[in-house]
Amino acid sequence: MKKLRVGTRKSLLSARQTELALAALAKVHPALETEIVPFHTRGDLILDKPLWAISNQGKGVFASEFEEMLLRDEIDIAIHSGKDLPVLLADGLEIIGVLKRDDPRDVLVMPKGKKAEACKIIGTGSLRREQCAAKVFPWAECRLIRGNIQTRLQKLKDGEYDAILLAKAGLDRMGITEADGYAFRVLSPEEFLPAACQGIIVAEGKRELASFVGAMTHPETQYIFETERAVLRLLGADCSAPVAAFAEMEGEVIRLRAMYGEGYAEGKAPVAARLQLAAEVVGRLRK
């Protein structure tokens, strides 16, 4: 290719994620030239409503407009957070690159010196996080918060919330640590099951680029990504639903844990049977 046109959201975190994806591509295609095409999505612009209120029939509020750009050949690939993808991709498009997963856990971010037990108001825009927080922090009330990481952290500093819930991967990618004036409580998957594909950066595009872009794919993460995405697809649950799916590799075996509403199920299977495993776990969730 002479130049690869890369679509990405207009946020600092999205820019950083795109840098990571392009760095992975450069390792396998050192001479590749790229052009970044930034874009504000509907999910970036509508900040006074929770994601579930602006989701349209399972379409990802951060991804669908990039799909239209891909189908119009205005860009060649789009870089996404795996958890922001719609349940079903547009016809003619595929996930053609999957980077190695970063830390999938959630973090309760508080002002420095504050303890979780003293947090009465927790900010989150996720129904999944709200549901998990009700069990882990039953003394606290969850209130809607939207915006990018910097906006949310500023609202925390301004005292609008006692704490906020964020993805550890996003904090790590932005280089934000407790040294910046925060206290972190990193939440294990056992107490706070992550969103499906949280911590995974992916590239979406047309099949003709699958071999070229796919050279950067991390195989184990791809298995995990496919397993967790299968849970969403089988449940018909979009990225804003109260659903969690977390898969881990244990040698040649994959372990899957999933939550939907009040339901929880888990199981293990050989990697080759990962999609059947997802179907079995979803079947238990529905009972």
Side-chain angles (χ1 to χ4, degrees):
M1 296 188 67
K2 291 184 178 180
K3 183 180 287 187
L4 190 74
R5 298 164 300 168
V6 182
T8 183
R9 291 165 57 195
K10 285 185 178 179
S11 74
L12 292 176
L13 177 57
S14 295
R16 178 57 183 149
Q17 291 175 167
T18 299
E19 288 175 7
L20 293 170
L22 295 185
L25 263 178
K27 289 182 179 180
V28 293
H29 302 298
L32 177 66
E33 292 185 29
T34 58
E35 174 189 353
I36 296 176
V37 182
F39 185 78
H40 273 311
T41 67
R42 187 163 52 100
D44 295 310
L45 297 173
I46 303 174
L47 299 177
D48 60 345
K49 297 179 181 179
L51 290 176
W52 57 264
I54 58 176
S55 178
N56 179 20
Q57 296 182 342
K59 296 297 288 181
V61 295
F62 296 118
S64 58
E65 288 154 301
F66 284 111
E67 292 190 327
E68 293 169 6
M69 295 169 72
L70 285 165
L71 293 172
R72 292 194 300 263
D73 291 321
E74 295 173 1
I75 55 175
D76 300 304
I77 64 171
I79 303 301
H80 303 295
S81 292
K83 70 174 184 177
D84 290 339
L85 290 168
V87 178
L88 299 175
L89 303 183
D91 289 343
L93 299 178
E94 302 176 1
I95 298 304
I96 57 176
V98 180
L99 272 64
K100 184 177 181 180
R101 187 175 218 166
D102 292 320
D103 196 323
R105 296 175 295 176
D106 291 290
V107 182
L108 185 73
V109 182
M110 300 162 283
K112 187 175 182 179
K114 203 172 189 74
K115 301 293 185 182
E117 292 73 16
C119 295
K120 303 300 182 183
I121 305 298
I122 296 176
T124 179
S126 161
L127 291 176
R128 172 191 64 87
R129 286 176 175 156
E130 185 174 335
Q131 188 162 326
C132 290
K135 297 178 180 178
V136 180
F137 312 112
W139 57 84
E141 173 192 351
C142 285
R143 291 185 185 172
L144 175 66
I145 188 170
R146 292 288 316 283
N148 58 37
I149 287 180
Q150 292 78 17
T151 298
R152 297 185 191 204
L153 290 174
Q154 188 59 53
K155 290 181 178 182
L156 176 66
K157 289 179 179 178
D158 291 343
E160 295 183 39
Y161 305 87
D162 296 317
I164 59 176
L165 287 161
L166 295 172
K168 182 69 162 57
L171 292 166
D172 290 345
R173 291 166 188 162
M174 295 298 294
I176 298 168
T177 69
E178 289 185 304
D180 296 305
Y182 305 107
F184 290 174
R185 177 170 168 183
V186 181
L187 300 158
S188 71
E190 285 69 32
E191 62 180 342
F192 219 94
L193 204 60
C197 308
Q198 184 159 292
I200 301 176
I201 298 170
V202 301
E204 183 181 15
K206 294 182 178 179
R207 179 171 295 182
E208 51 260 39
L209 285 177
S211 177
F212 184 84
V213 176
M216 72 174 181
T217 289
H218 184 256
E220 287 192 4
T221 302
Q222 183 173 24
Y223 299 147
I224 287 168
F225 175 81
E226 291 170 350
T227 306
E228 293 176 6
R229 287 276 294 166
V231 172
L232 297 182
R233 186 177 66 254
L234 291 165
L235 287 172
D238 70 9
C239 64
S240 57
V243 59
F246 181 59
E248 296 176 282
M249 296 288 294
E250 299 176 353
E252 293 301 311
V253 170
I254 193 162
R255 179 189 181 192
L256 173 64
R257 288 174 273 177
M259 176 191 81
Y260 188 60
E262 294 296 323
Y264 173 85
E266 64 175 274
K268 294 183 180 181
V271 173
R274 59 191 179 277
L275 299 185
Q276 179 60 34
L277 171 63
E280 291 173 358
V281 168
V282 168
R284 295 183 203 125
L285 280 177
R286 284 176 166 160
K287 287 183 179 179

